[in-house]
Amino acid sequence: MNQSEEGLLDTCTLILLEKLDPRELPRKPAISTITLAELAIGPLVAKSESERLLRQSHLLLAEADFDPIPFDDQAARAFGAVAANLHDTGRKTAARSLDAMIAATAISRGLPLFTANPRDFEGIASLEVRQV
């Protein structure tokens, strides 16, 4: 695979980062503030202490290793188109709202989105999805 210079990692990709082939990832990976929000939920809903600690570790590492791209006015405008795309394909925007916001962040910055779950982003026009 031809390695991209820059790219946005979705939450599942960030969690799996240590297990992925670095050649499948961008040279300059970025995350969205939406990913930090998703990671912040994890420790609070964990079913065991070991799971809570693991999820807390993911959050702390992400905060230390990345300067996240904010969900700003450009991303908010892109989100409108993403939501319309999902609606047009019969997918419920509310059920995919965090993924849609991550997609909108990528679109607003012109970045490919790297994900282990490409089906989460099907039907979103102008989003370049790269499966890892």
Side-chain angles (χ1 to χ4, degrees):
M1 174 183 211
N2 187 9
Q3 195 172 29
S4 292
E5 184 65 22
E6 296 180 272
L8 190 69
L9 309 179
D10 75 341
T11 308
C12 71
T13 303
L14 181 64
I15 290 169
L16 296 172
L17 205 52
E18 292 179 357
K19 298 176 183 177
L20 298 173
D21 182 345
R23 295 172 297 181
E24 298 291 319
L25 298 167
R27 286 188 184 101
K28 295 180 183 176
I31 64 169
S32 168
T33 53
I34 305 306
T35 289
L36 282 184
E38 279 192 293
L39 291 174
I41 296 166
L44 302 174
V45 298
K47 293 183 171 83
S48 69
E49 183 64 13
S50 62
E51 184 180 351
R52 186 189 68 73
L53 291 172
L54 178 63
R55 291 177 177 199
Q56 185 69 29
S57 172
H58 286 298
L59 174 59
L60 293 174
L61 286 171
E63 290 173 335
D65 291 345
F66 292 92
D67 183 18
I69 298 171
F71 187 83
D72 59 10
D73 57 336
Q74 293 173 334
R77 283 192 293 276
F79 178 78
V82 169
N85 289 158
L86 292 173
H87 179 271
D88 290 347
T89 61
R91 298 179 74 194
K92 295 184 180 184
T93 305
R96 305 260 35 114
S97 60
L98 296 176
D99 288 338
M101 293 172 80
I102 291 170
T105 303
I107 291 167
S108 73
R109 296 300 198 281
L111 296 172
L113 180 70
F114 289 75
T115 182
N117 297 320
R119 292 183 63 205
D120 290 348
F121 301 96
E122 285 179 354
I124 301 175
S126 74
L127 177 64
E128 181 183 347
V129 175
R130 306 256 180 105
Q131 183 172 358
V132 295

